[in-house]
Amino acid sequence: MARAQALRYAALALTDECSLSGAVRAHLEAERLGLRLIVGTEMQLHRHAPAPVPAAAQDGGAGDPADLTAQAIAAASAKAPGA
């Protein structure tokens, strides 16, 4: 992020794979540096899916990575043996 600030970027995107684990730390650092942060995640919703599903935050609207992650976990749990 310091490099993005040095290059005078107005915003920086962060994409995790199958989680949002780096979002809080990235948000704090972006705020400290005065950068806008775009948070996203890449999820594969089914083991045999042809391609991962990219998701980017839209201020809590449709496509919110946290909502999509929760839905994917719930769907996988419902299909798990013994569920």
Side-chain angles (χ1 to χ4, degrees):
M1 287 202 192
R3 178 81 171 139
Q5 182 192 39
L7 293 172
R8 297 181 183 216
Y9 285 18
L12 189 65
L14 168 79
T15 304
D16 280 341
E17 183 179 355
C18 298
S19 78
L20 296 169
S21 60
V24 172
R25 194 171 76 217
H27 170 76
L28 294 172
E29 183 66 5
E31 192 172 71
R32 185 181 76 77
L33 296 173
L35 290 170
R36 291 186 61 211
L37 183 64
I38 302 165
V39 178
T41 186
E42 183 177 84
M43 298 177 283
Q44 189 165 355
L45 300 178
H46 186 275
R47 186 182 337 187
H48 303 293
V53 177
Q58 298 178 10
D59 297 327
D64 185 316
D67 289 342
L68 292 172
T69 302
Q71 290 171 18
I73 291 169
S77 296
K79 293 178 183 178

